[in-house]
Amino acid sequence: MTQSWGYGEVSAMPMPADLESHLLTAVRKLTATLDVTGVCDAVLAGVESAFGATSSWIMLHDPERDVLRTAVFRGRGADVYASAEIPAQAGVVGVAFSRREIQFVGDVAAETRWFKPERVRASGLRSVFVLPLIAADRGIGVLGVDSPLFDAAHPPGPLDVKRLEVFAAQVAVGLVNARLYEASQQDRARLRALLRERRELRREVHDLRDEVRTAYSFGPIVGDSPLMRQVMEEVEQVAGSDVAVLLLGETGTGKELLARALHERSGRASRAFVPVNCAALPEALVESEMFGHERGAFTGAHSRKPGRFELAHRGTLFLDEIGDLPLNAQAKLLRVLQDGELHRVGSTQPMKVDVRLIAATHQDLPARIGERAFREDLFYRLSVFPIRIPPLRERPEDIPLLAEFLAGRYARRLGKRVGALTPGAIAALGSYSWPGNVRELQNVVERAVILNQGGSIGVEHIRLEPLASPAPAGSNEPARAEAPAPDGPRGHDAPMPVTLADAEREAIVQALRHAEGRVSGAGGAAALLGLKPTTLHAKMKKLGVTRTDVFRR
């Protein structure tokens, strides 16, 4: 025997007078819990008390998969239905949920509409009440009951249906509240995680800012020569203002280092420092990169993109190699500097920007103006406060200080212990004209640290390329090739210069020989070189180091 009642039909039935005590007990239990499992347990306990149920369960709807899944199951058949999952429209349970009709099956074994009849019969259920759980006119699951009060011969009456429907309404309300509470708890947990992540990011930014200040402050601008002291004094004088600064100097003299020092000592230090290498910008994209573009402004502009000026708003924009900026971009740059506003490519709306500009170049800008390759009005706008950075050959007294500082930095980075530079090594460095300036000195010192196997850095670790050095400014003399150390080998017996890759390869081979071919572990080549074993393996593969190289004598 199977019976069904519509949701509206049951709602119109009068409330049974004897339901109050059972309902009050269930409500008290509901108010004591705010989790889904607790709500289900509280209602099922009330159902058992009111109907003497031998089995009761609640299945909740998963809208993403459109299935009903068991949330709580009590009594007979719990082991069978503990993890049940059925389609939301399947079987008797699916009918109750999808049609919003209360279903009563008087003889479980005789019913054929179950989703899995064998499983239902194996559960030991005898008669089943299934009620839809509805909240805010939305189905959220079903409530099922097996009570010995009802069977095919004694079906439930209207008051029995009404009693059970009241419990179903209570569990629906309780589940909605529990889900809202759980959602709010999850939101609070996510918010706490976001706040924690934000604090960590702020701490990381603070730490990185401190590292940048340390890395790019006057500490690493090593030099005690009169020329460098003058440069530092000029930086201190102009750092606090917002006037444009033009840094003049050869390649490798540290123009970006000084630009960062100017930024860190300005009132904009907490804002962005945005470096731009004008020489590296494709000519067709200079305006887009500098001023940004709107979506659809040109082929490939799939979204709006802010330019470097926008990114540097209220901060500092560093334009390196300004002499390589195309003339049309120079005109727009001048307009931005004069008006304090820009137009994105493809936009007609102006945008205000507040940027402190620092430019740098190794070129002779007045000569470029004479060649009509640089705008004179832009030059005067940029060079409000020019600072000339002397090349390394003009301050040879700074070379030993720089070399010792760089050697210590690279030794720490590579995890090596190295001693001071020997007089011969210092003499070798001092005799060279350094066409690449401090950048070239960095490479030479790093190579020396790699080659060094412990102890002092000697002349044998100093490998100088005999490159032509630039002639002094205003001189008609041709460039000269510089030789290495005066106390090193000369003539045909002098060793040929090696590349950094050659030096690195030789250092790896020597470390492997010392470790008898072992890469990992204590005393392995990776530990000797201060590298991770995976990093060393990658370098060996890149440089072509084989066992034959290691064990060949």
Side-chain angles (χ1 to χ4, degrees):
M1 175 184 179
T2 301
Q3 289 182 277
S4 64
W5 294 266
Y7 184 70
E9 178 185 353
V10 177
S11 298
M13 293 179 182
M15 182 72 70
D18 61 344
L19 188 62
E20 293 181 357
S21 60
H22 295 299
L23 187 59
L24 181 60
T25 302
V27 169
R28 283 175 176 170
K29 290 183 178 179
L30 280 173
T31 56
T33 183
L34 285 172
D35 64 278
V36 170
T37 302
V39 167
C40 293
D41 270 328
V43 171
L44 293 187
V47 169
E48 289 176 356
S49 176
F51 293 92
T54 54
S55 296
S56 58
W57 66 93
I58 292 175
M59 302 184 79
L60 299 180
H61 183 234
D62 179 354
E64 292 185 3
R65 297 180 55 204
D66 196 24
V67 296
L68 292 165
R69 187 181 296 112
T70 301
V72 176
F73 194 106
R74 297 161 63 109
R76 185 171 53 233
D79 55 335
V80 177
Y81 275 89
S83 58
E85 182 177 288
I86 66 173
Q89 289 80 31
V92 175
V93 174
V95 169
F97 175 77
S98 59
R99 296 183 185 177
R100 299 189 181 184
E101 294 179 355
I102 298 176
Q103 297 289 314
F104 172 70
V105 179
D107 187 353
V108 169
E111 178 62 58
T112 59
R113 293 180 301 155
W114 302 112
F115 174 59
K116 291 185 178 181
E118 323 79 42
R119 185 171 184 176
V120 176
R121 295 184 186 109
S123 67
L125 297 175
R126 295 172 184 171
S127 65
V128 169
F129 242 138
V130 184
L131 297 88
L133 303 178
I134 301 173
D137 201 34
R138 182 173 64 89
I140 61 174
V142 294
L143 166 65
V145 178
D146 181 2
S147 170
L149 298 178
F150 312 114
D151 55 29
H154 303 87
L159 291 182
D160 300 315
V161 176
K162 185 66 176 182
R163 289 189 185 95
L164 201 52
E165 192 274 336
V166 170
F167 279 103
Q170 285 297 318
V171 73
V173 172
L175 285 172
V176 169
N177 291 336
R179 282 179 165 176
L180 288 174
Y181 177 75
E182 287 186 351
S184 69
Q185 290 296 95
Q186 292 171 359
D187 289 341
R188 290 181 64 184
R190 282 193 292 268
L191 180 59
R192 284 195 295 268
L194 287 173
L195 291 174
R196 188 163 53 249
E197 183 178 351
R198 182 185 176 188
R199 285 195 298 270
E200 292 173 357
L201 287 173
R202 291 182 65 179
R203 184 164 55 250
E204 184 177 347
V205 168
H206 181 75
D207 293 343
L208 288 173
R209 187 173 293 150
D210 287 344
E211 289 181 17
V212 169
R213 287 196 179 104
T214 301
Y216 295 104
S217 64
F218 283 155
I221 303 180
V222 178
D224 196 37
S225 62
L227 289 176
M228 283 307 297
R229 285 201 297 269
Q230 179 182 343
V231 168
M232 293 176 187
E233 288 174 3
E234 291 175 345
V235 169
E236 287 285 12
Q237 290 170 358
V238 75
S241 68
D242 276 347
V243 300
V245 177
L246 180 61
L247 302 176
L248 305 167
E250 295 178 7
T251 299
T253 51
K255 296 186 286 294
E256 183 171 347
L257 196 66
L258 279 178
R260 289 184 182 273
L262 284 165
H263 172 71
E264 291 298 330
R265 279 156 178 73
S266 72
R268 301 171 181 261
S270 61
R271 300 289 182 171
F273 175 87
V274 180
V276 181
N277 187 343
C278 298
L281 294 176
E283 187 170 351
L285 298 177
V286 168
E287 291 184 31
S288 171
E289 290 293 325
M290 294 284 285
F291 310 120
H293 64 252
E294 296 290 341
R295 179 181 180 182
F298 50 84
T299 303
H302 301 299
S303 61
R304 174 185 289 179
K305 178 182 176 182
R308 306 300 174 89
F309 267 91
E310 287 182 66
L311 296 175
H313 182 58
R314 296 184 180 176
T316 301
L317 181 66
F318 174 54
L319 299 181
D320 197 9
E321 302 302 343
I322 187 71
D324 290 317
L325 200 64
L327 280 170
N328 59 343
Q330 292 179 29
K332 293 197 173 184
L333 173 60
L334 180 63
R335 173 69 63 179
V336 173
L337 296 179
Q338 289 174 341
D339 301 341
E341 62 182 28
L342 57 84
H343 289 79
R344 289 196 188 108
V345 177
S347 173
T348 58
Q349 298 297 321
M351 175 180 297
K352 288 287 185 181
V353 287
D354 175 16
V355 172
R356 198 264 180 92
L357 189 68
I358 301 174
T361 183
H362 72 284
Q363 301 182 26
D364 184 348
L365 291 186
R368 297 274 290 169
I369 293 172
E371 298 167 358
R372 297 184 179 275
F374 200 84
R375 294 180 63 100
E376 186 176 13
D377 46 4
L378 178 60
F379 172 73
Y380 289 119
R381 174 69 66 172
L382 294 174
S383 60
V384 176
F385 197 98
I387 299 177
R388 179 182 178 271
I389 307 172
L392 199 54
R393 64 179 175 277
E394 292 183 11
R395 49 186 185 109
E397 59 267 53
D398 288 336
I399 293 176
L401 296 175
L402 277 166
E404 291 287 358
F405 170 80
L406 293 170
R409 170 188 283 181
Y410 293 129
R412 288 191 296 273
R413 183 179 298 174
L414 296 172
K416 302 181 70 172
R417 289 179 174 270
V418 298
L421 278 76
T422 65
I426 292 176
L429 297 175
S431 67
Y432 189 57
S433 67
W434 300 106
N437 292 294
V438 180
R439 185 180 294 121
E440 186 181 6
L441 178 61
Q442 289 176 330
N443 295 340
V444 170
V445 172
E446 184 174 15
R447 183 187 304 176
V449 172
I450 292 172
L451 291 171
N452 185 279
Q453 297 300 315
S456 299
I457 297 177
V459 67
E460 68 275 12
H461 302 120
I462 303 299
R463 306 293 176 86
L464 298 171
E465 304 288 351
L467 299 176
S469 63
S475 171
N476 294 322
E477 296 180 8
R480 307 187 309 274
E482 299 294 334
D487 55 344
R490 294 178 179 273
H492 295 293
D493 295 329
M496 288 295 293
V498 296
T499 65
L500 182 58
D502 292 334
E504 193 171 16
R505 189 178 192 279
E506 180 61 23
I508 291 173
V509 170
Q510 293 298 331
L512 287 167
R513 286 176 180 170
H514 187 79
E516 298 181 347
R518 287 185 300 108
V519 173
S520 308
L528 293 175
L529 293 172
L531 301 173
K532 293 181 179 178
T534 53
T535 303
L536 181 54
H537 276 298
K539 286 181 176 290
M540 290 169 63
K541 183 177 180 180
K542 179 181 177 182
L543 298 171
V545 178
T546 64
R547 291 182 61 84
T548 304
D549 298 317
V550 175
F551 295 107
R552 181 171 53 205
R553 298 292 181 179

